[in-house]
Amino acid sequence: MGYKMFKYNDKVRIKNKQLKTYNFVGVVSSAGCSGCYVTFENGMCFYYKNQNLEHCKKNLEEEKMSITGDFKVAKVKFLEGSNTTATYEYALFDDYVVGAYVVVK
């Protein structure tokens, strides 16, 4: 069959809905003609047939942060620390006021 080929360090998503790891994103740690070992952020590595995988279109950080549902997004800048120039996005499930201080993990 004409399954996609993957190579070492490709970012992939598990596309088979029958698998417990469905929609997980990982990195190919070893690749062959019919399958690949995929390593996830938690260090776990599993073997998948190539038809169960698809290339990721976004980078790994964006994939990990994907969230669905009915919510608003707060754009947050930290007041202190080493990352005060970056803007982060957090899902809000409660009411808020623009300019309010928020506590985030």
Side-chain angles (χ1 to χ4, degrees):
M1 295 195 150
Y3 296 121
K4 290 183 180 178
M5 288 294 296
F6 298 94
K7 60 186 186 308
Y8 173 76
N9 220 23
D10 278 352
K11 292 174 185 152
V12 294
R13 178 192 324 275
I14 312 307
K15 69 176 188 175
N16 184 337
K17 292 181 181 182
Q18 303 301 317
L19 299 173
K20 288 184 179 182
T21 52
Y22 168 69
N23 218 22
F24 281 29
V25 174
V27 177
V28 173
S29 52
S30 179
C33 295
S34 61
C36 301
Y37 284 95
V38 177
T39 303
F40 299 103
E41 182 183 73
N42 64 6
M44 297 196 66
C45 184
F46 296 98
Y47 179 80
Y48 295 97
K49 294 180 179 175
N50 285 345
Q51 69 264 30
N52 292 324
L53 306 173
E54 64 185 1
H55 284 100
C56 285
K57 303 215 178 359
K58 300 177 183 177
N59 70 40
L60 190 56
E61 285 302 312
E62 290 173 346
E63 292 296 334
K64 288 189 306 188
M65 296 177 68
S66 293
I67 181 172
T68 59
D70 186 23
F71 60 89
K72 295 179 182 176
V73 175
K75 293 191 179 227
V76 175
K77 279 192 168 188
F78 293 108
L79 300 175
E80 299 174 3
S82 61
N83 53 350
T84 57
T85 58
T87 300
Y88 298 89
E89 293 182 347
Y90 291 89
L92 296 174
F93 298 97
D94 297 316
D95 290 331
Y96 68 96
V97 177
V98 174
Y101 288 90
V102 295
V103 177
V104 295
K105 190 171 186 177

